[in-house]
Amino acid sequence: MGLLSDPVRRRALARLVLRLNAPLCALSYAAGVAWFLALAFPPLTQRTYMSENAMGSTMVEEQFAGGERARGWARDFAAHRRKAGALPAAWLERAMRSVGLEVYTQSFSRKLPFPDEAHERYMVSGTNVYGILRAPRAASTESLVLTVPCGSDATNSQAVGLLLALAAHFRGQIYWAKDIIFLVTEQDLLGTEAWLEAYHDVNVTGMQSSPLQGRAGAIQAAVALELSTDVVTSLDVAVEGLNGQLPNLDLLNLFQTFCQKGGLLCTLQGKLQPQDWTSVDGPLQGLQTLLLMVLQQASGRPHGPHGLFLRYRVEALTIRGINSFRQYKYDLVAVGKALEGVFRKLNHLLERLHQSFFFYLLPALSRFVSIGLYMPAVGFLLLVLGLKALELWMQLHEAGVGPEEAGGGPESSPPLQPAQSVGLASLVAPLLISQAMGLALYILPVLGQHVATQHFPVAEAEAVVLTLLAIYAAGLALPHSTQRVVSARAPDRGWMALKLVAIIYLALQLACIALTNFSLGFLLAVTMVPAAALTKPYGPRPLYATLLVLTSPAATLLGSLFLWRELQEAPLSLAEGWQLFLVAGGPGSPAFRTAPPYGHRARPGNTAHESPRAAPQTPRARNLRGPRHPRHRKMPAGPALLPVSTPPGSAARRSPAPSPALATPALGAAAGADGSRGAPETAKMAVAAASLRGAVLGPRGAGLPGAGARGLLCGARLGQLPLRTSQAVPLSSKAGPSRGRKVMLSALGMLAAGGAGLAVALHSAVSASDLELHPPSYPWSHRGLLSSLDHTSIRRGFQVYKQVCSSCHSMDYVAYRHLVGVCYTEDEAKALAEEVRGLGGGGPRDWGAHCAGRQGRDGALRGRWRFRTAPMRMERCSCGQGSSPTISPNHTPTLRPPEQPITEHCPLTSATSLELGTVVRTTSSPC
Amino acid sequence: MVAACLPRERLRPLAGWLLLLSVGSVAAGRIEDQTEQFFRSGHTNNWAVLVCTSRFWFNYRHVANTLSVYRSVKRLGIPDSHIVLMLADDMACNPRNPKPATVFSHKNMELNVYGDDVEVDYRSYEVTVENFLRVLTGRIPSSTPRSKRLLSDDRSNILIYMTGHGGNGFLKFQDSEEITNIELADAFEQMWQKRRYNELLFIIDTCQGASMYERFYSPNIMALASSQVGEDSLSHQPDPAIGVHLMDRYTFYVLEFLEEINPASQTNMNDLFQVCPRSLCVSTPGHRTDLFQRDPKNVLITDFFGSVRKVEITTDTISLQPDLEITESRVTCYC
């Protein structure tokens, strides 16, 4: 009971929550941000370790020596490619066949949703070539994939050469237990997606492709290789996949161990890993890497071809060869050896990679932050919303009860709260409208695209933007309708109730997003929580407007762009950033056509950044590359973080700069178009977030034009709150609101405890190893919270035990009294005990007493169960009297032949052995 | 014999026939001692149950461990009919094996323990806790062929060797089930009660191996383990060509020790206890002898690892006591 049912304590708690709400909120928010920043520091970052037994060490011998062949093939490939102007499929086919692979091709075509102006394409077609190396002595049930994407930007000739050389080398080995697929795709990710869809026989993007003629088994892991130079200075690893999915950490660990073994320089996000974690510099550098990863993951875009594999539950990563101005360079043999080692170890794998983490953040290649450690960051942020909700809840009750108590004194039965009735009735309309807005943003732009192009002289991309603008225009009506509904009867309580529901909804949505894509969830929470917590219908309007503009998704996106480039040490000027922002917002849309497509190509090779080859990672270049793929163009490009559209009635509309208002619909377009095909979760989340943001900000939008000074200030009424609390908040247990508060408090408590438990569980789940013994778990019917033992079954079970099982299995530590009240009454149990004792039951100490006829009836219930051994005991008892009823089958003094079992039908227990000992002793020294 | 003869020859010219007589009586007493020694182990046949409980390619070393012991006991004379060999996986035919049809226990392919005449009695999925316990206790379906049975009797010395992944108080079978130390102890007790062994040597090479024998309570069991509770047993012999570790440290050194043993060796159990000190094993091998009746220094390695028929030629007449007493003492001791 305690905390919640004790009125005094509860009142104290409520007062604490109410009085300290603003400081607590600020503290919680600061704690969340601080926790996030602390993630890069050693107590929270841990060294990575290999969890998978099968890949435990790098103990394989890499024999790859085909560097010269690889370079030769790379040269040939580049020449043929130049000649053909596309992927030289026929040449590739010949080359793969010459090294002994089973070769197949797959052609595909896809109409892009928008014409890609950067590459002047609309209908995209291409050919994938893949060769299968069959495992010599195993069935084709599992396979590994080595893939090289060939696009117009990155030719990856050297990667193709290395792939062929590795294929030739692998062909000569006999230890393969999995088929290996060597895949060269055209049109970058488009080809990869076409091949994956055909391989798994699904079609989620409307791709037309020829069916695959050859298959290997289920794909266990994949490695994508991007390499355009003969020598590299370092290898960069990309892990972020579609919608922020990540491969199992063990795959990264595996690659990293082979990097270490081969002495290769490996980077993450283009950053070298810091050597010194004890000082501040190392973790600070780790923090930069971590932030880059967060931005990359939050964008939801795959950071390489591997990102598409992740959707099919194939663990995959992309390895990029980078050639910069470092002194030490590695040739293709070194890269090939690392890949050989990785594949050899993957070949040893027996199950899917599942031991290590699937949710993690990486401050460096050899350090990680597990989900149990990073979730508190977002938890603290969401706690702000929880506290606000609690405050609103209490204020609502206070407002409802106050006048009533002042008028007629305490009522015997708590009447229906006016606040609740008003709130619930008025909440439905704005919530429904907000949801409808989200749905419209999700569906309409793409549906409307075709209609618009048919009826109006606009292009597809323009159509999407225009549709979105139309939806936003329609959304302008939302605040007013909300205001009318809300302020019809009880203005204060109305907006409070609406805000309460919206805040809870927002918290739930953010929590869900943060669970699947922490980066997106955290960035959304960081920006939306302050606005959601502070927003109220009145107050210093310019301040709120500024805040809302600053925390709107558009501003977040812009800020993220600058942060991104800052972290990559290629800082943007304001103008550059603005151009980038426009391109990120809506690629190819007429509104942003002013942005020159190639105007500001990323400046290559900035000092500390790894190389010019890394340029494709920089947002600018990726934005340019992005639109070629429908997914690229659908997802907001680059570190375009959150495809969350600004809600109707947001302050962006009133902001002095018109551009965010233009950009955000484009973002919405991105989200909407994305959601229609393939249905990536990001889009759904974004839409959900948009709709709920509409719900949250709706009341504020409603309040602002009203400009009334009525109602309660959320954050700024500290001075006046305690007065009201003391006089109006009845906290006795019999009053109506207390129950609600109790539910609220207990729900919060459970939420917090559950969150902590979840964090601990998630953190420790993966450390399960061989050294734990798992007890069996049975679906007992009485296990439930509300279920109990079935007494008739117990009775039946006892009967069965008594008659059957007890002949072999003892239950020496259960007494008859244990049966009382469970399946027998006291009398029945006594009778039972007497009955059994009559046969010689009871404990060993009772035997003599029984023989002498001194058995007391009172002790009957205390006796232990003895069914099995009755005959033997009788024999023993009567031993001294000289008349031996030879009932016992064991009464044979001679030694048995060893083959004759003593008790054939039941396992011997220690109790049985005891009796056996008794028998033998009896025979050797008669009593 | 020799010791008994020497003083007699030296004393003959000095002492009279009385002395001779007295020395003769002393010699007769020694002969009796020797005869007692001759029959000291009290066993007439040897059996071995060798179990590898783990599957999967990366557990190559466990199969190699078991096959190494198999090789040793077979070399020292226990025939295949008296060996129950249980291998949970078939490494020789694993597609990942770069050297098909071999299992090596030393790196650089020095010793192939998967010779031409390995008779695996229980293989792959047949190696279960149930089957293992059934083999030990003899509760086997009547259709089971004799080669898969442990047909021991109360004059049998049994070597039980197990290896796999274990923890405190259990050993995993096949990555799917476990045998606990209590189950194992009960099985041994059942064997004792069913008079299925005379003496039993239990060796286990697994992490926290000592936990497996601490619950034993049946007589005449000597137990050895590769590591103490709380310790891991470590692997040895990494081979990059095969791509896995070939053996575990403890068994590797035991094998090295056994390779020096021949049927006439007088090496005793105390020597076996010294095998693989902590400096080599990294873990601390343990042993337990409190259940065992004889002094370990009187127990020859070949009492368990070999099937050695004792032959000693003497010209003296030995009047043997009827061995009833031994039997009696055995009966009276342990009931």
Side-chain angles (χ1 to χ4, degrees):
Chain A
M1 312 318 262
L3 199 64
L4 288 175
S5 57
D6 178 4
V8 180
R9 286 196 196 171
R10 208 176 41 213
R11 186 180 301 139
L13 188 70
R15 194 174 299 157
L16 193 74
V17 167
L18 280 176
R19 189 179 297 175
L20 295 181
N21 196 277
L24 279 179
C25 284
L27 193 68
S28 181
Y29 186 78
V33 175
W35 188 287
F36 175 76
L37 294 178
L39 286 181
F41 288 82
L44 294 179
T45 48
Q46 297 163 325
R47 190 169 279 283
T48 54
Y49 55 90
M50 189 76 86
S51 300
E52 184 65 62
N53 263 334
M55 307 194 306
S57 68
T58 55
M59 193 182 50
V60 290
E61 192 174 27
E62 296 96 337
Q63 296 165 323
F64 177 69
E68 198 49 55
R69 289 183 90 180
R71 277 190 291 280
W73 266 316
R75 274 194 301 275
D76 287 358
F77 176 77
H80 280 90
R81 187 187 167 87
R82 262 197 307 280
K83 209 189 308 173
L87 189 78
W91 178 86
L92 255 180
E93 227 174 316
R94 269 202 312 281
M96 282 187 178
R97 207 157 271 146
S98 75
V99 299
L101 303 181
E102 265 182 57
V103 190
Y104 304 95
T105 58
Q106 179 213 13
S107 56
F108 61 90
S109 65
R110 166 87 162 91
K111 192 173 122 185
L112 299 183
F114 313 114
D116 181 0
E117 287 158 13
H119 294 85
E120 293 176 352
R121 59 180 187 177
Y122 188 32
M123 281 294 296
V124 176
S125 62
T127 309
N128 296 328
V129 183
Y130 65 102
I132 302 175
L133 169 61
R134 298 284 178 196
R137 286 181 286 146
S140 289
T141 52
E142 295 175 338
S143 61
L144 305 171
V145 171
L146 176 63
T147 178
V148 173
C150 287
S152 46
D153 278 356
T155 53
N156 285 334
S157 311
Q158 273 72 12
V160 173
L162 187 58
L163 175 134
L164 289 170
L166 276 175
H169 173 63
F170 286 180
R171 178 77 172 81
Q173 310 305 320
I174 63 163
Y175 46 66
W176 298 113
K178 300 171 187 195
D179 293 357
I180 301 179
I181 303 174
F182 297 90
L183 168 68
V184 180
T185 60
E186 204 177 358
Q187 306 284 7
D188 277 344
L189 303 197
L190 207 53
T192 312
E193 178 63 27
W195 187 82
L196 277 172
E197 284 183 10
Y199 195 89
H200 295 100
D201 209 13
V202 291
N203 193 344
V204 289
T205 57
M207 189 88 65
Q208 280 101 41
S209 64
S210 57
L212 295 190
Q213 298 300 317
R215 273 193 179 76
I219 304 175
Q220 306 288 306
V223 175
L225 185 64
E226 294 184 4
L227 200 61
S228 295
T229 49
D230 280 346
V231 289
V232 296
T233 52
S234 63
L235 294 177
D236 190 57
V237 195
V239 288
E240 302 87 359
L242 194 64
N243 294 319
Q245 272 185 296
L246 296 171
N248 193 282
L249 189 58
D250 264 346
L251 190 61
L252 188 74
N253 293 341
L254 185 66
F255 178 71
Q256 197 242 334
T257 51
F258 276 97
C259 271
Q260 275 182 343
K261 186 185 181 191
L264 286 164
L265 197 61
C266 289
T267 59
L268 192 72
Q269 313 288 348
K271 300 269 187 197
L272 286 171
Q273 53 175 339
Q275 300 299 320
D276 179 22
W277 285 90
T278 50
S279 69
V280 184
D281 292 344
L284 278 184
Q285 195 184 337
L287 183 62
Q288 292 184 3
T289 316
L290 186 82
L291 276 173
L292 278 171
M293 178 178 177
V294 164
L295 293 175
Q296 180 70 49
Q297 195 187 12
S299 79
R301 291 190 55 220
H303 196 184
H306 75 280
L308 300 175
F309 282 88
L310 294 177
R311 178 153 67 168
Y312 298 89
R313 182 66 176 86
V314 176
E315 309 309 322
L317 46 78
T318 296
I319 298 168
R320 294 195 174 90
I322 287 172
N323 192 10
S324 69
F325 308 109
R326 288 181 181 275
Q327 191 179 0
Y328 298 108
K329 301 199 185 271
Y330 309 97
D331 61 354
L332 292 182
V333 175
V335 182
K337 278 189 172 175
L339 283 172
E340 184 192 356
V342 168
F343 271 83
R344 180 99 192 258
K345 274 295 176 187
L346 286 173
N347 181 52
H348 284 185
L349 196 64
L350 293 135
E351 306 159 279
R352 285 181 178 280
L353 285 167
H354 67 285
Q355 298 261 16
S356 195
F357 291 84
F358 284 98
F359 296 95
Y360 50 85
L361 292 177
L362 296 168
L365 202 52
S366 63
R367 300 268 170 162
F368 78 105
V369 185
S370 78
I371 180 170
L373 289 177
Y374 66 61
M375 282 312 275
V378 86
F380 277 121
L381 295 184
L382 297 186
L383 185 62
V384 176
L385 297 182
L387 286 171
K388 273 292 164 213
L390 198 62
E391 187 195 31
L392 283 171
W393 177 263
M394 288 179 175
Q395 285 174 352
L396 272 176
H397 282 295
E398 175 194 354
V401 175
E404 182 182 305
E405 278 199 338
E411 294 290 322
S412 58
S413 67
L416 189 68
Q417 299 301 321
Q420 283 176 346
S421 60
V422 168
L424 288 180
S426 59
L427 293 189
V428 176
L431 282 181
L432 276 183
I433 293 173
S434 297
Q435 292 290 345
M437 285 293 300
L439 201 64
L441 283 174
Y442 184 72
I443 293 173
L444 279 186
V446 174
L447 283 183
Q449 170 189 350
H450 302 295
V451 181
T453 43
Q454 279 168 11
H455 293 45
F456 303 100
V458 288
E460 280 89 348
E462 293 168 354
V464 171
V465 177
L466 290 176
T467 316
L468 277 160
L469 285 177
I471 296 172
Y472 275 112
L476 296 185
L478 177 61
H480 299 288
S481 63
T482 308
Q483 184 190 18
R484 204 184 57 224
V485 173
V486 168
S487 61
R489 270 177 288 175
D492 288 356
R493 288 196 294 274
W495 77 258
M496 280 173 153
L498 184 53
K499 180 168 173 175
L500 174 66
V501 171
I503 272 186
I504 291 173
Y505 190 39
L506 176 71
L508 286 176
Q509 294 279 340
L510 285 178
C512 291
I513 295 174
L515 266 183
T516 52
N517 187 345
F518 167 79
S519 302
L520 181 63
F522 179 78
L523 285 177
L524 285 176
V526 157
T527 53
M528 291 173 76
V529 161
L534 288 180
T535 311
K536 60 185 78 73
Y538 52 86
R541 283 182 59 188
L543 183 70
Y544 286 150
T546 320
L547 182 71
L548 285 165
V549 169
L550 284 181
T551 56
S552 70
T556 310
L557 174 58
L558 191 62
S560 301
L561 281 175
F562 280 105
L563 177 64
W564 168 269
R565 291 296 293 265
E566 191 62 41
L567 289 171
Q568 292 214 323
E569 294 167 33
L572 286 169
S573 68
L574 265 182
E576 278 176 328
W578 184 247
Q579 293 295 343
L580 239 158
F581 173 66
L582 291 184
V583 176
S589 71
F592 313 114
R593 219 170 250 165
T594 48
Y598 289 98
H600 300 269
R601 188 174 277 281
R603 284 182 305 203
N606 221 315
T607 49
H609 193 258
E610 198 40 49
S611 78
R613 181 60 193 85
Q617 298 168 64
T618 59
R620 178 67 188 144
R622 275 189 313 132
N623 289 338
L624 294 176
R625 220 160 46 122
R628 266 173 295 117
H629 188 275
R631 186 166 314 289
H632 278 191
R633 81 179 296 116
K634 284 186 292 184
M635 304 300 278
L641 288 173
L642 21 148
V644 179
S645 51
T646 40
S650 98
R653 173 161 65 90
R654 281 184 294 280
S655 72
S659 330
L662 274 179
T664 41
L667 275 181
D674 194 17
S676 66
R677 292 167 230 243
E681 291 77 0
T682 317
K684 291 180 189 164
M685 290 169 190
V687 169
S691 68
L692 73 95
R693 207 175 141 83
V696 170
L697 299 179
R700 187 237 336 120
L704 270 177
R710 55 224 157 99
L712 295 170
L713 270 170
C714 240
R717 57 183 299 276
L718 264 177
Q720 117 197 58
L721 195 57
L723 287 175
R724 283 216 183 180
T725 309
S726 57
Q727 69 188 15
V729 179
L731 286 167
S732 73
S733 56
K734 63 183 178 197
S738 67
R739 177 186 290 177
R741 203 167 292 135
K742 187 153 73 176
V743 168
M744 189 80 184
L745 281 172
S746 53
L748 269 175
M750 281 167 66
L751 216 65
L758 181 71
V760 171
L762 286 173
H763 185 57
S764 62
V766 190
S767 63
S769 68
D770 291 338
L771 302 181
E772 284 174 27
L773 185 59
H774 302 291
S777 170
Y778 297 109
W780 298 117
S781 60
H782 56 79
R783 259 208 170 162
L785 214 59
L786 298 176
S787 38
S788 71
L789 294 162
D790 179 359
H791 294 279
T792 53
S793 290
I794 295 173
R795 201 178 170 116
R796 202 161 49 239
F798 177 70
Q799 193 71 19
V800 170
Y801 170 76
K802 196 170 67 172
Q803 290 175 352
V804 183
C805 314
S806 63
S807 61
C808 297
H809 299 275
S810 64
M811 287 184 75
D812 294 350
Y813 295 100
V814 186
Y816 295 105
R817 65 189 155 84
H818 292 140
L819 297 175
V820 176
V822 177
C823 56
Y824 288 106
T825 63
E826 187 171 339
D827 290 341
E828 283 173 330
K830 257 183 197 161
L832 187 76
E834 288 306 318
E835 178 189 340
V836 177
R837 284 180 177 219
L839 292 172
R845 274 163 291 161
D846 298 338
W847 298 342
H850 183 66
C851 283
R854 285 184 280 114
Q855 174 69 43
R857 287 183 65 88
D858 296 341
L861 284 179
R862 297 194 168 275
R864 302 275 163 83
W865 291 6
R866 297 276 171 180
F867 303 109
R868 155 179 54 91
T869 51
M872 208 179 290
R873 298 249 164 70
M874 283 188 73
E875 169 204 20
R876 176 157 177 125
C877 280
S878 54
C879 187
Q881 299 161 9
S883 61
S884 171
T886 51
I887 303 168
S888 167
N890 291 336
H891 192 73
T892 44
T894 53
L895 292 179
R896 284 176 301 281
E899 277 307 303
Q900 179 189 337
I902 297 166
T903 47
E904 194 59 52
H905 301 296
C906 51
L908 285 170
T909 60
S910 54
T912 321
S913 65
L914 180 119
E915 278 131 31
L916 189 68
T918 310
V919 173
V920 176
R921 207 180 299 125
T922 307
T923 54
S924 54
S925 55
C927 52
Chain B
M1 289 296 124
V2 177
C5 287
L6 270 178
R8 204 188 319 184
E9 281 168 6
R10 200 188 298 161
L11 292 174
R12 188 176 292 166
L14 300 174
W17 55 275
L18 278 170
L19 260 180
L20 185 68
L21 199 66
S22 65
V23 171
S25 68
V26 170
R30 288 188 181 169
I31 288 172
E32 281 186 6
D33 284 349
Q34 284 187 332
T35 50
E36 197 174 324
Q37 284 287 359
F38 187 84
F39 292 110
R40 63 186 167 181
S41 75
H43 75 282
T44 60
N45 56 70
N46 281 88
W47 288 81
V49 181
L50 314 175
V51 191
C52 157
T53 64
S54 30
R55 295 186 73 72
F56 306 139
W57 173 244
F58 59 91
N59 292 323
Y60 185 98
R61 58 184 189 276
H62 294 155
V63 174
N65 286 346
T66 313
L67 285 170
S68 303
V69 178
Y70 173 81
R71 168 195 156 86
S72 297
V73 297
K74 208 168 159 186
R75 188 175 59 80
L76 291 172
I78 303 183
D80 259 331
S81 59
H82 282 209
I83 302 175
V84 180
L85 179 60
M86 306 175 105
L87 294 183
D89 206 348
D90 188 4
M91 291 307 161
C93 299
N94 194 301
R96 295 170 181 84
N97 192 344
K99 309 280 176 195
T102 59
V103 174
F104 288 97
S105 68
H106 282 52
K107 57 187 167 187
N108 307 325
M109 323 281 158
E110 277 172 11
L111 181 59
N112 175 16
V113 288
Y114 199 80
D116 299 329
D117 53 351
V118 173
E119 189 183 301
V120 186
D121 299 306
Y122 290 80
R123 63 170 71 241
S124 62
Y125 288 111
E126 289 174 354
V127 182
T128 58
V129 173
E130 184 186 343
N131 277 355
F132 174 63
L133 290 181
R134 282 187 180 281
V135 165
L136 287 188
T137 56
R139 290 182 172 153
I140 282 181
S142 54
S143 60
T144 311
R146 287 180 71 84
S147 65
K148 297 180 111 174
R149 289 167 183 255
L150 181 68
L151 297 169
S152 57
D153 56 26
D154 61 348
R155 288 281 159 236
S156 301
N157 271 15
I158 303 182
L159 165 70
I160 294 182
Y161 174 85
M162 304 184 82
T163 183
H165 288 286
N168 192 350
F170 67 93
L171 177 69
K172 286 175 79 163
F173 268 66
Q174 300 269 8
D175 217 20
S176 65
E177 54 178 350
E178 300 95 1
I179 186 170
T180 63
N181 48 5
I182 298 172
E183 287 169 322
L184 196 61
D186 286 345
F188 287 165
E189 173 63 21
Q190 204 173 127
M191 287 173 75
W192 173 250
Q193 292 185 8
K194 294 176 77 176
R195 302 183 200 292
R196 285 175 65 77
Y197 70 83
N198 170 49
E199 286 171 340
L200 197 149
L201 176 64
F202 176 77
I203 303 181
I204 186 160
D205 187 347
T206 180
C207 296
Q208 315 201 38
S211 66
M212 284 306 282
Y213 62 57
E214 63 189 13
R215 297 299 186 103
F216 291 172
Y217 55 93
S218 314
N220 284 0
I221 297 181
M222 191 188 298
L224 290 94
S226 61
S227 54
Q228 297 296 327
V229 176
E231 280 183 340
D232 284 350
S233 288
L234 299 172
S235 53
H236 200 12
Q237 300 286 314
D239 188 308
I242 298 175
V244 286
H245 284 94
L246 299 190
M247 277 193 91
D248 282 319
R249 283 177 176 271
Y250 180 72
T251 310
F252 177 79
Y253 290 107
V254 167
L255 175 66
E256 210 173 60
F257 172 79
L258 291 176
E259 290 290 296
E260 302 296 321
I261 305 287
N262 59 54
S265 295
Q266 293 300 300
T267 324
N268 61 46
M269 282 297 163
N270 275 337
D271 299 318
L272 184 61
F273 296 157
Q274 304 307 318
V275 163
C276 200
R278 190 176 164 77
S279 55
L280 292 173
C281 252
V282 183
S283 59
T284 318
H287 55 85
R288 179 176 174 187
T289 54
D290 59 324
L291 295 168
F292 208 70
Q293 296 301 310
R294 295 192 282 153
D295 188 344
K297 79 170 189 292
N298 295 330
V299 183
L300 298 183
I301 297 294
T302 48
D303 282 354
F304 289 100
F305 283 91
S307 187
V308 178
R309 298 281 166 270
K310 284 198 169 56
V311 175
E312 212 162 311
I313 299 168
T314 175
T315 52
D316 295 317
T317 308
I318 301 168
S319 67
L320 292 174
Q321 300 282 340
D323 62 345
L324 281 173
E325 195 179 338
I326 301 174
T327 319
E328 277 301 313
S329 70
R330 277 172 48 78
V331 168
T332 50
C333 274
Y334 309 122
C335 51

